[in-house]
Amino acid sequence: MAVVIGAGDVEIDLPRLAAELTEALRAGPAGPGQRVRVPVTEDVTAMVLVPGLAPGIPAYTVKVHAKNPNRSPAITGVICLHDLATGDLLALIDSAGLTAVRTGLGGALGAHVLARADARHVTVIGAGVQGRAQLEALAALRPIGSVSVRDTNPAAEAEFVAWAERLGLTTSGDAGEIVLTATWSREPVLHRVAPGTHVTSLGADEPGKAELAPELLAGALVVVDDPALAHVTADTTIGAVLRGEHPGRTSEDQVTVYSPAGLPMQDLVIAWHVYRNAIRKSPAVFDLGSGM
């Protein structure tokens, strides 16, 4: 029996999902991270991520979506969740919301693991959906003392500040000990940071995008989720840090960078989380019929 889970039907327990995603990253993917990326027009990129596999989850995902930074939402598409044993379709899930959660939570987990334990002040560069998703996820993982935001659009900055204050966060203009960048930039937006800063950058997930200057990367410990998918030269992976195979941050003054590409395995962990929540509340989903 397959179900459709729209954006309004998605139910997420963020602390529980963070624990599930951390465990999956520690274990490592059950298969290779594969993706097909095809430019469709000057603005639109179509992408297929297949397959999403993770130890202990009896399902796999295939995601088909499009990216268009000139639209809102910038990402649209669908995640197909299949039974691992039979290949039967279990669910069709709107990919925009899940991708935002996956990317935001994945970036925030990297920040939480690599930042100094006492880091409480956050700067967000990019006041869009992904900047909000990262900050909200990070606030679920550690206390946030204050947050500042930078964006080329003053109205977006003001809306972000109002949203953060509704979450109960204090806003300020101070530079953060944790910097979360979430832009579509193809030119560096961050050239230098203070010693001890952690930076999570989401902008190097495809060729041509670059949020961080080469000199910043050259002086930092650079961590990725999958070297084969990354578009930066990395020192190690977040899985290796979580497993204790790499120490991660080694000093209070060290600059650390987490630059995830986003793994199909992470799509599966989140899709399975959402699917289990949805089938416990059957009125919130729609039966497509056993013929599927």
Side-chain angles (χ1 to χ4, degrees):
M1 177 184 294
V3 297
V4 173
I5 304 174
D9 303 320
V10 169
E11 180 181 320
I12 289 175
D13 178 341
L14 197 54
R16 179 162 64 87
L17 179 57
E20 292 168 356
L21 189 55
T22 299
E23 185 55 37
L25 287 167
R26 182 179 289 113
Q34 298 180 13
R35 64 175 65 197
V36 177
R37 175 184 174 275
V38 181
V40 178
T41 68
E42 183 177 345
D43 296 325
V44 177
T45 299
M47 185 174 290
V48 179
L49 278 72
V50 54
L53 296 165
I57 297 181
Y60 67 91
T61 48
V62 176
K63 180 162 78 175
V64 182
H65 70 182
K67 295 182 177 182
N68 184 347
N70 297 316
R71 295 183 68 244
S72 182
I75 292 177
T76 56
V78 64
I79 294 175
C80 304
L81 180 70
H82 295 264
D83 185 283
L84 184 62
T86 66
D88 290 345
L89 181 66
L90 299 174
L92 293 172
I93 308 173
D94 180 87
S95 73
L98 259 66
T99 299
V101 172
R102 182 213 69 184
T103 309
L105 181 55
L109 281 171
H112 183 56
V113 169
L114 295 169
R116 299 196 321 261
D118 63 349
R120 297 288 183 269
H121 304 289
V122 181
T123 294
V124 179
I125 301 177
V129 170
Q130 202 36 245
R132 296 187 185 200
Q134 278 201 85
L135 181 61
E136 187 171 9
L138 186 60
L141 298 173
R142 65 164 63 201
I144 302 297
S146 66
V147 58
S148 60
V149 61
R150 304 286 186 271
D151 197 281
T152 56
N153 183 343
E157 274 191 12
E159 290 175 6
F160 189 99
V161 167
W163 168 83
E165 291 177 346
R166 287 196 297 271
L167 286 185
L169 299 175
T170 300
T171 56
S172 75
D174 298 335
E177 303 148 314
I178 299 174
V179 180
L180 308 174
T181 65
T183 76
W184 294 88
S185 182
R186 293 181 176 270
E187 298 290 338
V189 298
L190 192 62
H191 293 263
R192 62 186 64 85
V193 294
T197 300
H198 170 77
V199 181
T200 288
S201 169
L202 301 182
D205 61 337
E206 60 183 44
K209 292 172 66 179
E211 294 180 312
L212 307 184
E215 59 267 26
L216 192 161
L217 291 167
L221 171 73
V222 179
V223 181
V224 298
D225 47 10
D226 186 335
L229 298 177
H231 294 282
V232 295
T233 300
D235 297 297
T236 190
T237 67
I238 192 67
V241 174
L242 290 170
R243 290 189 295 272
E245 298 167 2
H246 189 282
R249 173 180 291 275
T250 55
S251 74
E252 293 293 293
D253 290 337
Q254 186 176 36
V255 173
T256 56
V257 169
Y258 183 46
S259 183
L263 303 179
M265 172 267 287
Q266 293 170 302
D267 286 325
L268 171 61
V269 172
I270 296 179
W272 185 245
H273 177 98
V274 167
Y275 173 70
R276 285 183 299 162
N277 288 341
I279 60 176
R280 283 196 289 264
K281 292 188 173 183
S282 56
V285 297
F286 302 92
D287 182 7
L288 291 182
S290 58
M292 296 190 67

